[in-house]
Structure formats: structure tokens, C-alpha cells
Amino acid sequence: MPGPMERCDKLDMSAVITLESALDREQISRKILPEAVPVTLNRKMKAREKYQSDLWLEIEHPNKGFGLQDPSSSSLALFNTTSNAMAQCEGDPVDNIFEQNLKIKFYISSGSTSPSSYSGDEADTVKITDSSHLPVHTPTIKRKEFHSRILFPAKHKAHRFFLTSFTAPTKCHQCTSLMVGLIRQGCTCDACGFSCHTACVEKAPRACPVPFHQKEGAFCLDPQKGLGTAYEGHVWIPKKAGMKKGWQRALAIVCDFKLFLYDMNEEDSKPNVVVSQVIDMRDGAFSVSSVWPSDFVPARRKEMPRMFKVTAFQLSAPSNRYSIPILADSENKKSEWVGVLSELHKILRKSHSRDRSIYVLKEAYDSNLPLIKTTQTAAIIDHKRIALGNEEGLFVVHVIIDEIIRVGDIKKIHQIELIPHGQMVAVISGRSHHVQLFPMSVLDGGKTGSHKLAETKGCHTMTSGTVCQGAHTCLCVARKSQVFCYELFQSNKISHRKYKELQIPTTVQWMGIFSEQLCVGFQSGFLRFPLRREGVPYRMLHFHDPTLSFIAHQPVDALCAVEISSIEYLLCFKSIGIYTDSRGLRSRPVELMWPAPPTYCCYNAPYLSVYSENAVDIFDVNTMDWMQTIPLKKVRPLNSEGSLNIFLLETIRLIYFKNKTNGEELVSSETPDNQEKQMVQHLSSKRRYSFRVPRAKAMLPKGL
């Protein structure tokens, strides 16, 4: 064929070689250069594909000429973008350890929750690039300004998933379980509206839109795993002020063998995304039954046929069970609810699903003790004694022999910190919020000798620990955005030495000592400071990780931090819990979700207690499992572990959370309810009291 041969001869082979070498340089530069931000990388990939197609088009049809751009221009732009970002990192001494971590890849796997349990070489994994500046637009929620996007490998007719913050209770289309949380609860396909948990993304059908036969129904329950939604509907529950004030509309969903109740907004009649109440059907005292006049429920007679109640444990005593009266729309609906809950409870018992509850609630001491009513802080000294701090001062209560000792003459105790390594007790006391130190012997009734730290005036929190492998005792005190670090000594008397003063970006909200480092939590961030040497702080939440930048865009309070291991931490904010590594980058793709806005977080290894308005939720920080829900309203922790709590209802109680798996930390005596008991002062000491019935009242005849 002379015609084609003549056209091939006219092809400038040197130009072809030039184009091929440019393509090779393009590939090499991509391997060497660090990856840029997702939007730049996506644009660059499209340019590369166009360049390759144009190259081969010129080889196929050389007569059209070589109208190509310089292939090195796009690489130069990528290099300049990366260099500028790196130069910005080098300007911050805290950021030097992060080097080229400008883009983080994550791999979602249903069997992997720890960073050490997956391999980057696994095949067919889902790569997630989280870009917080991309907006969200889904059919089920309104557009938000800051949200994160999940990009998946480009396939024909594949989903386009976005990480989404739902504004109403939403079920996963894959497993039908609720996507519980306050923000970033799950993913939604922008094209077809398919929504699922982040962990369910890999299990979701790849075709978009999802075929009808591959969609899970609205109700699908796995009895073995206990996952899925079994029933839902609208009911009426008592208002927050009590049933005497009337009823309020609620959405009830039976999911994962739990009964979720969501309040309905009065304005638009839509359910709130915050869980109002949760009752776990695995609770040993769970039951559902009709309401009868003998239950003494203050309800109208015409409402009784439509009412039923759900019961669970509140305290260990049988008389202190917690019941929620629920009003259905009709008698038939009430029969359906009672039947569904009863059948599910039978299925749960037949499947031998174990009770996963961690804590058993007991009264730490007799609620008639006047000191309990004004208690602000507390600590467990040993299995027989507790320290109480209130407006009147510091007291030690012996729970077995009903003896009470007053420590010193200080008043208004705001925080108690036991320092067993230094044999000291530190308290924040007085109107001026000073730190005072006492020897541990004063808790036994010994001579009182306090030591005040003058510089701590106006402080609001403190923490203690050891450094140099336990050789030295350290006390850190926070005053607004300043932290004072002291080394404590005790020989004949207590003394101290301030050896470091730290400046925090904003007001300190939480402090703890991990592995001889001070961890400080403030709004939208945590820092770790070395205690025994000088050096720059380590940022525990680094915003150069694009998947974590949403914390900076939406400022949120810090509640606490947990040291999972030497290379992993859990950072608890008021909206979400995030796992990070020692560099401050995300270590797990899945986040810890709160059912309701938390007010406090307490850690007692390996369980995290999250306090909200109506309940205390217990999580295993290692497995991220939601272990238990304690339906206590208006409860507040008194110590950092959350083992002692104040229950602020009609009768103010001192509650002890006993861990069923560990030994008993405190012996709680079963004291009878006797309102005639009083604090009787000892004749031999003005600081010792006994909590008992006075002899004059005890000797009176029963008829008087």
C-alpha cells in the first residue's frame, strides 16, 4: 500500500521520541513528587489522560500535526503547589514532623478498626480522600458549608459518595441500622441517594442506582449479630417536666435490640437527630407491659387503654427500676408495640445474647447524709473510705462504720486530687480558687498542715502524675490559658518547685498526664508537652490532615483524651470522638459517635463514660462498641474516672458505678432508709462525727 507507507515516512520520528520521553518524565515525576490535594490531583489526572489520548492520536494520524502543549508544564504546576505547601509546614516548628503528609489515604474494611490491622497492599480496597472544603448536596439534607467528600476509584456507573451530616434520624440502606451521631454519621451517594454507614461502604452494591432486588427492606433484623431495624412509629412520651405537664410527640425506632426515642420539633414536626432516650433490651430488668391503675401513673382514664411502659434497671436495688410510660395513637397500635417488643425480647433470650453491661449502679452511701446534698467533688481513698468536697469543706466518710472526719478548716472545695506517689492530697478551694496540699495522713484524722501554692489563684483544674519512671511527683495546675508545672517534695513538711510554665492558645478545658507528657485540651485541639525536658509541643490533632480540618471549621469544646497505646489516642470533642496517631494524623477511618450532646467524658480503662442530659453511654475505646446505656437523668461525675457520681433528682444520691469485670473498688453498705439519722459529734474530737440516730431519739418508746 504505497499511500499509507508514504504517510508513515513523512512522520517525524524525532517528534514521536520527544513525546514519549515527555510521557516517561511525567510518570517518573508522579512517583517522586508527593501527592497534592485531591482537587489538584483529580484535575491533573484528567490532563494526563487527555495528553495520552492526544499523543496516540498524533501517532495514528500524523497529518494533523503536533499541536500539543509542553508536557512539563503540568508537572511544574504540581511541583510548585506541593513546594508551597511544604514551605508553609516548615514555618511552624510543631509541624516539622509531618513532612509530606498533605494527603492521607484510608482503607475501609469491615474487619479492621485498628491501624495495625490492615495492610496498604490489600487488593480492591476503597481509598478515601477527605476534603473538608467540598460542600455536600444530597436529596435528604440541606447543603452545608463545610463537609467532607469521599472519592472512590472511577468506575462506570459507580456511586459518588459524600460524607454527610444528617439532620434527622437516618437508617443505613445496607444494614438498616440507625446511623447514630451528631455529625458525619454516614455516606450518601450524590446521584441515587443511597445512604449507609462508613463501614458499610464496601458492602454496598457498586451499581448506581442500586437495583431494587439488592436493596435491603426498611426493616431487616439479624438476630445473631443483633443488627438492623425491626419496627418504628410515632408515639407520645412525657414532657421533660413530667407527665403531669402533658405529652410530647416522639419517633420510636427499635434498632439493634434498643428502643430509640427521638423528640419531634414542634415547628416543623420533624424528628430531632439527637437521641432523647435509649432503652437497651439486653438489660437484665427489661420488660414491656400495659399500664394499670395500680401503677399509680398520673394519667387520664381515657388514655390508660393506649398506654404501655418499658422498664429497665436504674440502680441495683429492685425498687429503683426505671420505667418510661408511652402513649400510642390507638389501642391497636399499643398492642402492636407491646407484641413487637415482647417478641424481640424472646428472640434475644433464645439467641443467648449476653448482657454486655459493664457497670452495676449502687448507692455509695446513705442519701440522708446532709453532706451529700451539696457535694461538688469526690474521690475514692480505698475500698472503705471516700472523700467528699462541698461548700462546707473536705470530709472523709468511712462507709462501713458510719464515721466522718473533717479535714482542716478550708471551705468550698472545687476539686480533689489524690497523689498517692507523693503521699499528698491536693484540693482547689476557697472563693479565690487556690491549690492547697495536705499530707495523706490527714485523711486518717492526723494533724492538719496545709501548704498553699500562691501562684495558683484563680485556677480551675489540675492533674498529677509521675516523671522519671516514678522518681518525681508532678502537679500541673491550669489558670485560664496558662499551665504551671510543679515538682512536689515531702520530708518533714511539704514543699514545691515550679519548673515550667506553659502557654495554651485558648482556655484550658481538660488536662491529663500520659507517658510523662502533659496532654492539654482546649477548643478544637489537643497538645502534648514534654514534662522533664524542653521542646516544642506535639499537636495531637493536625489540620494538615484534610480529613481533620472540619474540627477547625466548626469550633467545638474538648472533653477529654484517652491514651489507647503509645502510638494511638482518642480525642473526645463535644460533637465527635476521633482516633489519631502519635503524629496527630487520623489512625482509624471510623469515628466514635455520640447519641446525644455530651456534657462530660470520663475514662476508666478500657471504658469511656459519656454523660448527656438523659443518660450515660458506655463505650469500649478499643473495639468502639457501644456497651451500655444507663438511663439516669441529671447525673454528674465527681471524679475523673466517673466511678462516683451525684444523682440530682428529688432525692439527691451518691452513686457508685461498680465495674462487674474488676474487683470492687468501694464496699457499698446496704443501709436502711432512716431519716432520723444525724451527724453526731464525738466527745473526744471536734473533727470526728458519727452518722447515726441520736440516743435521745433511740430510747423513746415507739408510740411517742
Side-chain angles (χ1 to χ4, degrees):
M1 301 294 292
M5 291 299 295
E6 290 176 0
R7 287 194 296 271
C8 288
D9 291 338
K10 292 180 182 179
L11 178 63
D12 188 357
M13 298 304 296
S14 62
V16 175
I17 294 173
T18 302
L19 292 172
E20 290 179 345
S21 62
L23 179 60
D24 293 337
R25 289 196 305 270
E26 179 86 1
Q27 294 174 347
I28 293 173
S29 64
R30 287 192 173 281
K31 294 180 180 179
I32 296 176
L33 291 176
E35 296 174 330
V37 293
V39 176
T40 304
L41 183 60
N42 191 21
R43 190 184 305 117
K44 189 68 185 77
M45 290 296 293
K46 292 180 180 180
R48 175 184 175 182
E49 292 174 0
K50 183 178 183 303
Y51 170 71
Q52 289 178 343
S53 62
D54 292 343
L55 175 63
W56 291 111
L57 184 62
E58 290 296 337
I59 296 175
E60 288 278 343
H61 305 283
N63 287 339
K64 293 185 178 179
F66 299 93
L68 298 177
Q69 298 179 355
D70 183 8
S72 61
S73 61
S74 59
S75 298
L76 181 61
L78 175 62
F79 178 78
N80 291 336
T81 302
T82 307
S83 300
N84 294 336
M86 288 302 299
Q88 185 178 1
C89 287
E90 293 175 357
D92 187 357
V94 182
D95 303 339
N96 290 338
I97 62 172
F98 297 99
E99 300 177 354
Q100 299 179 0
N101 290 304
L102 300 179
K103 179 189 174 190
I104 312 300
K105 294 180 180 179
F106 299 99
Y107 300 85
I108 298 180
S109 176
S110 58
S112 172
T113 57
S114 175
S116 60
S117 61
Y118 71 83
S119 171
D121 299 330
E122 294 177 1
D124 298 330
T125 54
V126 179
K127 296 181 180 179
I128 302 177
T129 303
D130 202 345
S131 304
S132 61
H133 63 278
L134 293 176
V136 172
H137 178 66
T138 67
T140 56
I141 65 169
K142 297 180 181 179
R143 180 182 292 270
K144 296 291 183 179
E145 183 179 358
F146 298 109
H147 277 287
S148 303
R149 182 178 180 179
I150 298 183
L151 303 177
F152 294 93
K155 291 184 180 180
H156 183 62
K157 293 183 179 179
H159 291 288
R160 293 189 304 160
F161 279 106
F162 290 78
L163 197 57
T164 305
S165 293
F166 298 100
T167 58
T170 307
K171 291 180 292 185
C172 175
H173 290 158
Q174 179 62 28
C175 67
T176 75
S177 290
L178 281 168
M179 291 186 280
V180 177
L182 304 178
I183 61 172
R184 300 161 60 92
Q185 299 96 333
C187 308
T188 299
C189 177
D190 191 41
C192 68
F194 186 89
S195 301
C196 63
H197 293 97
T198 307
C200 292
V201 167
E202 277 198 343
K203 306 173 187 176
R206 292 298 181 188
C208 178
V210 178
F212 180 77
H213 67 277
Q214 292 187 6
K215 286 186 178 181
E216 293 287 353
F219 305 111
C220 181
L221 180 66
D222 185 347
Q224 299 300 324
K225 297 181 180 179
L227 299 177
T229 299
Y231 195 71
E232 70 173 86
H234 289 89
V235 295
W236 299 86
I237 59 175
K239 290 186 176 181
K240 294 182 179 180
M243 199 186 333
K244 293 182 179 179
K245 300 296 182 179
W247 301 88
Q248 64 180 12
R249 197 68 164 160
L251 173 65
I253 302 178
V254 183
C255 176
D256 300 345
F257 286 116
K258 294 184 178 74
L259 175 61
F260 292 85
L261 296 173
Y262 294 90
D263 292 339
M264 303 288 291
N265 296 326
E266 296 181 358
E267 298 178 357
D268 53 9
S269 299
K270 293 182 179 179
N272 199 325
V273 71
V274 176
V275 180
S276 175
Q277 297 184 61
V278 179
I279 299 296
D280 197 337
M281 300 179 69
R282 295 183 179 89
D283 192 297
F286 178 85
S287 65
V288 56
S289 61
S290 300
V291 174
W292 306 103
S294 59
D295 293 327
F296 299 102
V297 177
R300 300 175 184 175
R301 287 189 176 182
K302 63 179 181 179
E303 296 175 346
M304 296 292 286
R306 296 186 287 133
M307 288 180 60
F308 64 98
K309 64 178 181 179
V310 178
T311 304
F313 268 140
Q314 183 169 336
L315 300 177
S316 59
S319 59
N320 289 315
R321 295 187 178 185
Y322 178 73
S323 295
I324 302 178
I326 300 176
L327 181 66
D329 290 336
S330 63
E331 293 187 38
N332 292 335
K333 283 291 184 181
K334 173 230 176 170
S335 301
E336 289 180 12
W337 275 107
V338 174
V340 167
L341 293 175
S342 300
E343 288 299 322
L344 286 175
H345 194 227
K346 290 180 182 178
I347 293 174
L348 186 63
R349 287 184 294 179
K350 288 180 181 178
S351 62
H352 302 288
S353 180
R354 63 182 182 88
D355 182 9
R356 302 195 303 173
S357 61
I358 304 302
Y359 294 113
V360 175
L361 278 61
K362 296 185 176 181
E363 280 201 73
Y365 197 68
D366 194 338
S367 59
N368 293 311
L369 180 66
L371 300 176
I372 292 178
K373 293 178 175 57
T374 58
T375 297
Q376 299 295 320
T377 180
I380 297 178
I381 303 172
D382 51 41
H383 67 287
K384 295 182 180 179
R385 294 182 301 165
I386 54 177
L388 300 179
N390 57 18
E391 292 288 329
E392 299 179 19
L394 177 62
F395 298 87
V396 177
V397 179
H398 200 298
V399 298
I400 301 298
I401 61 176
D402 295 332
E403 187 177 70
I404 301 168
I405 300 174
R406 178 167 183 170
V407 177
D409 296 323
I410 54 176
K411 292 186 177 182
K412 293 189 176 181
I413 306 297
H414 307 285
Q415 184 180 349
I416 301 173
E417 182 74 16
L418 300 181
I419 312 175
H421 295 283
Q423 290 297 305
M424 302 180 204
V425 180
V427 297
I428 298 178
S429 63
R431 295 181 179 178
S432 58
H433 287 244
H434 271 99
V435 173
Q436 298 200 48
L437 302 175
F438 296 90
M440 194 73 78
S441 59
V442 300
L443 301 179
D444 300 322
K447 186 178 179 181
T448 304
S450 64
H451 180 77
K452 181 184 290 187
L453 304 184
E455 294 176 309
T456 61
K457 181 180 179 180
C459 66
H460 59 276
T461 186
M462 61 179 172
T463 186
S464 64
T466 59
V467 294
C468 297
Q469 298 180 353
H472 301 279
T473 303
C474 178
L475 178 67
C476 299
V477 182
R479 185 183 65 186
K480 295 183 179 180
S481 60
Q482 289 180 309
V483 177
F484 304 110
C485 300
Y486 300 94
E487 186 177 359
L488 305 181
F489 310 94
Q490 183 178 20
S491 53
N492 295 331
K493 62 178 182 178
I494 298 175
S495 60
H496 72 280
R497 177 180 69 89
K498 188 180 79 170
Y499 67 91
K500 186 174 290 191
E501 183 175 334
L502 306 175
Q503 187 67 38
I504 312 302
T506 59
T507 303
V508 176
Q509 295 177 330
W510 181 88
M511 286 197 309
I513 294 180
F514 300 150
S515 304
E516 303 192 355
Q517 292 181 329
L518 175 65
C519 175
V520 180
F522 50 93
Q523 191 178 63
S524 297
F526 285 87
L527 291 175
R528 283 186 293 122
F529 295 87
L531 285 175
R532 291 301 300 174
R533 58 179 177 82
E534 297 297 329
V536 296
Y538 299 95
R539 188 174 296 178
M540 301 181 68
L541 188 76
H542 207 284
F543 298 132
H544 284 171
D545 181 345
T547 69
L548 301 177
S549 58
F550 72 94
I551 292 292
H553 294 316
Q554 298 175 346
V556 61
D557 291 340
L559 295 179
C560 79
V562 175
E563 186 179 27
I564 307 296
S565 65
S566 59
I567 60 172
E568 189 178 24
Y569 301 89
L570 170 61
L571 308 182
C572 299
F573 294 94
K574 205 159 187 177
S575 59
I576 206 166
I578 301 172
Y579 287 84
T580 62
D581 59 18
S582 56
R583 300 172 298 170
L585 306 178
R586 183 187 292 274
S587 62
R588 303 190 190 188
V590 183
E591 296 156 341
L592 204 57
M593 299 293 176
W594 316 137
T599 52
Y600 307 95
C601 279
C602 297
Y603 179 64
N604 194 354
Y607 302 111
L608 180 72
S609 301
V610 182
Y611 294 74
S612 59
E613 182 181 0
N614 295 326
V616 182
D617 299 296
I618 313 299
F619 297 88
D620 188 322
V621 298
N622 295 317
T623 63
M624 303 180 66
D625 289 336
W626 186 0
M627 305 299 296
Q628 183 181 5
T629 295
I630 303 173
L632 287 180
K633 295 183 179 181
K634 298 182 180 179
V635 63
R636 180 173 59 86
L638 297 175
N639 57 350
S640 59
E641 298 83 13
S643 54
L644 287 177
N645 300 268
I646 190 75
F647 188 24
L648 302 171
L649 276 186
E650 294 83 2
T651 301
I652 299 177
R653 302 173 184 269
L654 184 65
I655 306 299
Y656 167 53
F657 284 11
K658 177 186 178 299
N659 193 322
K660 297 193 298 184
T661 58
N662 298 338
E664 195 164 20
E665 188 180 5
L666 178 68
V667 178
S668 54
S669 59
E670 299 293 338
T671 55
D673 187 9
N674 192 339
Q675 297 183 358
E676 293 185 352
K677 295 177 69 174
Q678 298 178 5
M679 287 181 61
V680 180
Q681 192 175 41
H682 283 206
L683 298 177
S684 58
S685 175
K686 294 182 179 180
R687 297 188 180 276
R688 290 182 177 269
Y689 301 85
S690 292
F691 189 59
R692 56 183 174 82
V693 179
R695 290 185 178 181
K697 292 187 178 181
M699 295 177 63
L700 289 175
K702 292 184 179 181
L704 297 179

